[in-house]
Amino acid sequence: MRIALTVALALGMSGVAQADGLGDAEKGAKVFTQCKGCHQVGEGAETRIGPHLNGVFGRAAGSLEDVRYSPSMKRMGSDGMVWDAATLDAYIENPRALVSKTRMSFRGIKDAQERSDLLAYLRIYSDNPADIPEAEPTALGTDHDIDPAILAIQGDPEYGEYLASECKTCHQSSGANDGIPSITLWPTEDFVVAMHAYKRKLRPHPVMQMISGRLNDEEIAALAAYFKDLEE
Amino acid sequence: MKKLRLWPHILRTSRNEATLWEENTMKLNRRIFLGTSAAAAASLAAPMSFAAGHGKPHVVVVGGGAGGATAARYIAKDSKGEVAVTLIEPTRQYYTCFFSNLYLGGFKEMDDLGHSYGGLAAGGVNVVHDWATGVDREAKTVALAGGGSVSYDKLILSPGIDFVDGAVEGWDLSAQNAMPHAYKGGSQTELLKAQLMAMPEGGTFAMVAPPNPYRCPPGPYERVSMVAHYLKANNPTAKIIVADPKPKFSKMALFQEGWAENYGGMIDWIGEDFGGGNVSVDPAAMTVSIDGEVTKVDVCNVIPAMKAGRIAELAGVTDGNWAPVNAADMSTKADADVYVLGDAAQQGDMPKSGYSANSQAKVCANAVRGALTGSKVFPAKFSNTCWSLIDTDNGVKVGATYEATDEKIAKVDGFISATGEAAELRKATYEESEGWYAGITADMFGA
C-alpha cells in the first residue's frame, strides 16, 4: 500500500515517468514484485540479499559499501560502468550477458515493455534527476539478447586459434588470472554473449570494446570455439 | 646443492656474460629439482649441436625479445615440429625494458623483470646464445660471433634498437656509465637506479628525452613519474629537469595532470619551444647545457635518438634508421625471405612497443609458417596498448587496433585514458597492467 501511494504521489507531482520515454511506473510497481525477494526500494529501503535500489540511476556498478558484490560486478564498476536506462535495461533482460558471474540469480525479463515499466518505477527513487543520464526513447526497450542465428554459428577453431593469439597478449592461456580475467573454458554461448556486449559497448572496458569492435560474428564464434576447450 | 644455495646471491650481484651461463644453468637445475623442465636443460646443454636438416624448413630468429621470442615460440608451437626454429640471442637471462621504470620507482624488483629461455627450449626452439654478426642474403646464412654460421629458409630479425651516433652532443656509448640511457633492460636500468639512490639531498636529476620515433613513446615520461615517486619519498627537495626536443609527447595531458597533482614543483619539463632540443652534455663534468644554459647535475639520463638494432643494417634491409616492411606479413621491402619485427621495423602507425612487437610477431609467424608448410594464412590484425604508472595505484593507458593496407600498418580505432578519472579506475588500470605483464611474458617465453 505504501509503495502504491508513493508511486501515485511521485507521478502526480513530477510526471517524470512519461517525460523520458520510460514506461508506466504503476505497472512497473507490479513487475517489481518479482524483485522484492532480494531488493528493496523506496523510503527506508535497505540492502538485504541484494543492494537497495534507491538512487540506482547514476550509481556506479558495484559501488555500495555494505554489499558483497561478485568480482565480475566489481570489475564492471572499476571499468566505469554506471547504471543508466540502457545498462539497467540490458542487465534486467539477461543479467549474465552483461555481468558474467553476477551473484544476482535471476533469469531476466524478456518483455521490453515490462522492463520499461520497471525502470519507470525504479527511476522514481533515484533522487537526483540531474544525475540521470538521459536516453533516447528509441534506445530503450530494444532487444539486448543475441540473435539466435549468431549463437548458432559454428566457429572455426583453427581460425579461432590464430585470432586468439591477439587475446593471449593479456589473457593467459593457462587460465591464470592476475589482474586480467581468465577467458579459457567458457561455455560457447557465454563467450559469444559477452563479446557482443563489449561490441555494443554495454560492457564498459575500452580495450575490450576496441578489440571486439572489429571482430565479426564468425570471428567471435571462432574464438569461442577455440577457448572453450583450451586447457594447458 | 651447494650451487643451488648460491644461486640467488649470484643472480643479484653479477650479470656479466662470463657468469650468465653458470647462472642460467643453475636456474635450470632448480627447475629440474622442481620437476618442470628437464627437456629445457637438455637442449640448452648442447646449444651448438643443432644442424638444420632432415628436410625440414628452417626459420632463424635473431633477437629474443617481445618480437623474436614470440615469433620463435609461435612458429615452433603451431607447426608441431614441421618447421625447425633457431633463436639467436646473446643473453641467457632476458630483462624486459617494459616495466623497468617500475623498478626505478620501487614497485618491482629486478628479478621480477628477468626471464630465461628454458620455456622456449622446452617448446622445441633451438636457443643459441650468441651474437649474430652478419647476414649473407645470397647464401641465406647468419654469421655468429662464436664462429660458424646458420643457414635459413626464412630469417626474422627482431633486434630492438641501437642509438644514433652523435645524436646528443657530448654523449656516446663510452659515456653510458656516467650518463646511462637505461633504455635497454638490464644492467643499465640497475645503474640508473643506483645513481638515483646515491643522489645528494636536494640534487638534480636530468633527462635528455629522445626525438620521434623511438621505443615506448610514454616511456621517458613514465620514468620521470617513477623517479619523482622515489625522490618524493626519499629526497623530497630534489629536482627533475627534462630537456625534450619535442613540442608534445604521448599521454602529455595525463602526465602533466599527474605531475601537478602528485609531484608539484619537482618536475621542470623543457619542450622544444623553450630550447629543449638544443642540448649538449659533458659526462666528465656532469653538466647539461640546455639552450645555452649550463647546469651541474647529479644524475643524467641521456636517451638518444634511436635506430634499428645493428644487425638489420648489416643485413642490408634498412633504409635510413629503420627497416621498411610490408604490413601484411612483416617481410622487408628489401628481401621477401627476411622479416623485421618490433622497434626496428618501419611499418606505419604502430608505436614501437613490446606489445606491438608481440602483435606483429603473431602475424609474421602465421605468414612464415604458411609460406613454409602451406598452412592457412589468416588476414593480419594488429593491436597495441601501453600502460603507464604515474604514482601508486595511478595507472593510465592508451591503445589502438590496426590493419594491414598496401602502404602500411594503418590505425583503425583507438582510445586513451581521460584526465580526472576516479581513483578506483586508475587502480584497476594499474592492476590490469600487471595482468598484462604476466600475460605477455608468458606469451613470449612460454613459461
Side-chain angles (χ1 to χ4, degrees):
Chain A
M1 269 321 273
R2 198 167 85 188
I3 286 172
L5 184 65
T6 316
V7 172
L9 284 172
L11 286 175
M13 285 187 291
S14 68
V16 68
Q18 298 305 316
D20 60 5
L22 292 172
D24 182 329
E26 263 185 277
K27 287 182 183 163
K30 292 195 187 77
V31 178
F32 187 70
T33 53
Q34 54 188 309
C35 315
K36 278 159 80 175
C38 302
H39 292 285
Q40 295 187 356
V41 70
E43 190 185 340
E46 288 176 4
T47 290
R48 299 268 293 263
I49 295 168
H52 76 77
L53 298 174
N54 290 347
V56 67
F57 281 79
R59 181 198 289 171
S63 62
L64 290 187
E65 283 193 359
D66 54 347
V67 179
R68 245 182 87 241
Y69 293 104
S70 62
S72 298
M73 184 64 85
K74 295 285 277 183
R75 179 178 295 278
M76 288 297 119
S78 61
D79 283 350
M81 189 165 82
V82 173
W83 293 120
D84 59 21
T87 50
L88 282 168
D89 196 53
Y91 188 57
I92 295 166
E93 180 176 15
N94 183 350
R96 285 192 173 76
L98 191 68
V99 185
S100 301
K101 291 180 179 168
T102 178
R103 293 206 167 106
M104 186 164 88
S105 176
F106 181 59
R107 70 193 172 285
I109 297 174
K110 301 305 168 200
D111 186 292
Q113 187 58 48
E114 272 188 48
R115 295 198 303 275
S116 185
D117 293 343
L118 176 62
L119 290 181
Y121 170 67
L122 290 176
R123 183 167 163 176
I124 294 167
Y125 304 102
S126 286
D127 58 7
N128 189 354
D131 290 341
I132 299 171
E134 291 299 336
E136 290 295 321
T138 51
L140 294 174
T142 52
D143 188 359
H144 300 286
D145 263 357
I146 303 297
D147 184 342
I150 291 176
L151 288 175
I153 298 171
Q154 291 297 314
D156 169 7
E158 191 192 353
Y159 189 24
E161 180 171 17
Y162 167 68
L163 292 169
S165 67
E166 182 171 52
C167 314
K168 290 177 184 174
T169 302
C170 299
H171 298 278
Q172 297 184 51
S173 45
S174 66
N177 175 359
D178 302 299
I180 287 181
S182 167
I183 56 171
T184 61
L185 304 177
W186 279 38
T188 312
E189 183 171 332
D190 292 8
F191 193 100
V192 171
V193 162
M195 287 299 279
H196 280 277
Y198 282 119
K199 201 173 162 68
R200 295 174 182 192
K201 301 195 190 298
L202 287 168
R203 288 188 180 220
H205 196 272
V207 177
M208 287 308 303
Q209 288 181 352
M210 185 179 77
I211 297 284
S212 61
R214 63 170 178 167
L215 294 171
N216 63 33
D217 297 345
E218 283 73 23
E219 290 170 333
I220 288 174
L223 283 167
Y226 172 71
F227 276 115
K228 83 175 160 56
D229 295 323
L230 182 65
E231 209 158 5
E232 284 190 4
Chain B
M1 287 308 284
K2 190 181 174 194
K3 276 188 172 181
L4 189 66
R5 280 199 304 275
L6 279 169
W7 170 70
H9 166 74
I10 290 172
L11 194 66
R12 259 202 312 279
T13 54
S14 100
R15 297 187 197 283
N16 63 56
E17 278 297 304
T19 59
L20 274 166
W21 182 87
E22 193 182 9
E23 177 183 310
N24 194 52
T25 305
M26 282 185 279
K27 180 155 189 168
L28 285 167
N29 283 342
R30 180 169 156 271
R31 283 171 166 262
I32 292 163
F33 287 124
L34 295 171
T36 55
S37 192
S43 89
L44 274 179
M48 297 305 291
S49 65
F50 179 85
H54 314 294
K56 277 186 195 175
H58 189 206
V59 174
V60 173
V61 182
V62 176
T70 306
R73 177 166 174 262
Y74 270 76
I75 293 169
K77 174 170 76 71
D78 293 342
S79 73
K80 299 181 173 64
E82 276 190 62
V83 178
V85 182
T86 297
L87 173 66
I88 301 168
E89 160 61 43
T91 67
R92 286 164 170 79
Q93 180 85 351
Y94 182 84
Y95 290 90
T96 59
C97 197
F98 49 90
F99 264 41
S100 64
N101 287 329
L102 274 58
Y103 163 76
L104 294 176
F107 293 90
K108 297 288 166 201
E109 298 297 323
M110 205 60 197
D111 287 352
D112 297 336
L113 307 181
H115 305 271
S116 88
Y117 290 94
L120 285 183
V125 176
N126 177 47
V127 182
V128 174
H129 291 302
D130 205 340
W131 281 96
T133 54
V135 176
D136 182 337
R137 291 201 276 120
E138 294 259 311
K140 300 183 88 168
T141 57
V142 179
L144 301 177
S149 64
V150 187
S151 62
Y152 65 82
D153 295 301
K154 296 281 189 183
L155 174 63
I156 299 173
L157 302 176
S158 190
I161 50 120
D162 272 312
F163 301 110
V164 174
D165 290 337
V168 175
E169 192 188 331
W171 191 94
D172 61 26
L173 276 182
S174 71
Q176 71 169 8
N177 264 35
M179 293 187 170
H181 53 78
Y183 231 66
K184 298 182 184 187
S187 54
Q188 276 277 305
T189 318
E190 291 179 288
L191 175 62
L192 186 63
K193 176 74 180 271
Q195 293 181 353
L196 173 64
M197 292 171 74
M199 269 175 65
E201 192 182 333
T204 300
F205 181 104
M207 172 189 282
V208 178
N212 291 320
Y214 61 94
R215 159 181 284 184
C216 190
Y221 312 99
E222 179 186 61
R223 176 171 293 174
V224 166
S225 307
M226 291 296 94
V227 167
H229 173 84
Y230 174 85
L231 291 174
K232 186 179 174 182
N234 297 286
N235 191 348
T237 55
K239 295 281 179 212
I240 300 171
I241 305 172
V242 185
D244 203 325
K246 304 181 292 296
K248 57 190 173 69
F249 55 84
S250 172
K251 300 179 190 165
M252 185 164 175
L254 293 165
F255 280 116
Q256 291 194 328
E257 176 192 58
W259 292 349
E261 280 177 11
N262 300 293
Y263 313 118
M266 183 181 271
I267 300 163
D268 186 10
W269 179 78
I270 302 166
E272 183 195 35
D273 301 346
F274 297 90
N278 180 16
V279 172
S280 65
V281 297
D282 184 340
M286 281 305 287
T287 58
V288 182
S289 166
I290 303 172
D291 210 21
E293 188 177 328
V294 177
T295 307
K296 178 91 174 72
V297 301
D298 300 289
V299 180
C300 189
N301 175 206
V302 177
I303 311 173
M306 297 171 202
K307 61 179 182 179
R310 179 142 169 79
I311 191 68
E313 194 180 328
L314 293 172
V317 295
T318 52
D319 179 8
N321 286 335
W322 310 101
V325 296
N326 298 302
D329 61 358
M330 304 303 290
S331 64
T332 55
K333 303 277 188 190
D335 188 329
D337 289 326
V338 179
Y339 301 73
V340 173
L341 303 178
D343 297 346
Q346 180 183 305
Q347 33 70 19
D349 295 349
M350 294 184 84
K352 297 183 186 301
S353 73
Y355 193 131
S356 291
N358 172 266
S359 175
Q360 293 159 12
K362 292 163 186 173
V363 169
C364 176
N366 185 251
V368 165
R369 186 164 61 91
L372 293 176
T373 69
S375 65
K376 197 166 173 188
V377 177
F378 297 106
K381 278 183 198 283
F382 303 95
S383 55
N384 176 64
T385 303
C386 291
W387 288 266
S388 302
L389 187 61
I390 293 173
D391 198 353
T392 307
D393 288 335
N394 185 355
V396 292
K397 62 188 171 188
V398 59
T401 54
Y402 305 84
E403 65 185 4
T405 68
D406 288 345
E407 296 85 48
K408 63 173 184 175
I409 297 180
K411 183 173 169 179
V412 176
D413 188 18
F415 70 88
I416 184 166
S417 296
T419 53
E421 282 174 341
E424 179 78 2
L425 176 56
R426 291 293 177 88
K427 182 167 185 281
T429 301
Y430 172 60
E431 286 167 358
E432 183 181 284
S433 74
E434 293 197 293
W436 165 76
Y437 187 89
I440 192 174
T441 50
D443 198 37
M444 289 163 63
F445 299 107

